[in-house]
Amino acid sequence: PKANPNNLRLNFASMKPLPSVYGKGEKITLHALKTTPIHGKWLNLGGGDGRYLSKLLTRVTKIISTDNSTAKINALSKRIPKKYNEKIDFVVHDFTKRFPFQSETFDGVIFTGVMHLYPPAKMKKTLGEVNRVLKRKGRLIIDCATESQRISLE
């Protein structure tokens, strides 16, 4: 029998949140992650330190996490619990360039905490690419981190 994603009970306790220099995340983004039907293959744009990955890895079949920093990708890949290694791939990519994915590849895209750092023309191009790789009726979660503050993890 096929599960109806609208009737699933969500258990985020099965994976501890990854510590983040940006704190626990934006309240509205956490709410969106809790209430949005999430399944299938997702793209995490500008994945950085992975603060929202714990909310996705327990619900998706696959996630591609991208960042333009090889160092950030390497650091994040070491922090993912081994039991999730098969569910996640890491790609070094500048999201202001054409995405290295075929059209209509992803059931969802999460794009958080970086959009406000780039000029509107680059974001227009990026959102065009998001539209291209997102499946019809796919989900898009965006936040602009207006209230984020860096904290020390030490």
Side-chain angles (χ1 to χ4, degrees):
K2 215 173 189 182
N4 179 345
N6 294 321
N7 294 331
L8 294 178
R9 284 185 175 201
L10 305 178
N11 179 6
F12 292 129
S14 61
M15 182 180 166
K16 286 201 256 182
L18 297 171
S20 171
V21 297
Y22 300 101
K24 294 179 181 177
E26 300 291 322
K27 288 179 185 177
I28 192 143
T29 305
L30 292 168
H31 177 75
L33 285 164
K34 188 174 181 180
T35 59
T36 299
I38 293 175
H39 65 280
K41 187 174 184 178
W42 275 63
L43 176 62
N44 181 23
L45 285 178
D49 64 5
R51 72 183 143 171
Y52 297 114
L53 280 179
S54 63
K55 306 293 190 247
L56 292 167
L57 280 169
T58 57
R59 298 167 66 194
V60 299
T61 54
K62 189 72 167 180
I63 189 162
I64 310 296
S65 189
T66 69
D67 201 282
N68 65 353
S69 166
T70 302
K72 283 186 181 180
I73 289 284
N74 289 337
L76 179 56
S77 68
K78 292 175 186 169
R79 297 172 58 215
I80 300 298
K82 288 182 182 179
K83 69 180 182 177
Y84 294 108
N85 283 351
E86 296 296 317
K87 285 183 127 182
I88 189 165
D89 288 328
F90 298 92
V91 176
V92 176
H93 175 67
D94 176 353
F95 60 71
T96 65
K97 309 274 191 265
R98 182 173 171 83
F99 296 177
F101 309 110
Q102 292 187 8
S103 298
E104 296 190 36
T105 298
F106 298 99
D107 297 290
V109 175
I110 184 166
F111 184 34
T112 63
V114 293
M115 192 175 194
H116 62 287
L117 301 173
Y118 292 86
K122 286 197 180 216
M123 285 303 91
K124 184 176 181 181
K125 182 178 178 181
T126 297
L127 291 173
E129 279 296 285
V130 166
N131 187 54
R132 182 182 67 77
V133 301
L134 195 58
K135 291 180 181 178
R136 293 179 199 272
K137 297 189 180 184
R139 305 292 178 160
L140 174 61
I141 297 174
I142 294 177
D143 84 28
C144 295
T146 55
E147 297 176 12
S148 286
Q149 295 180 335
R150 289 183 187 240
I151 59 171
S152 173
L153 293 178
E154 297 171 7

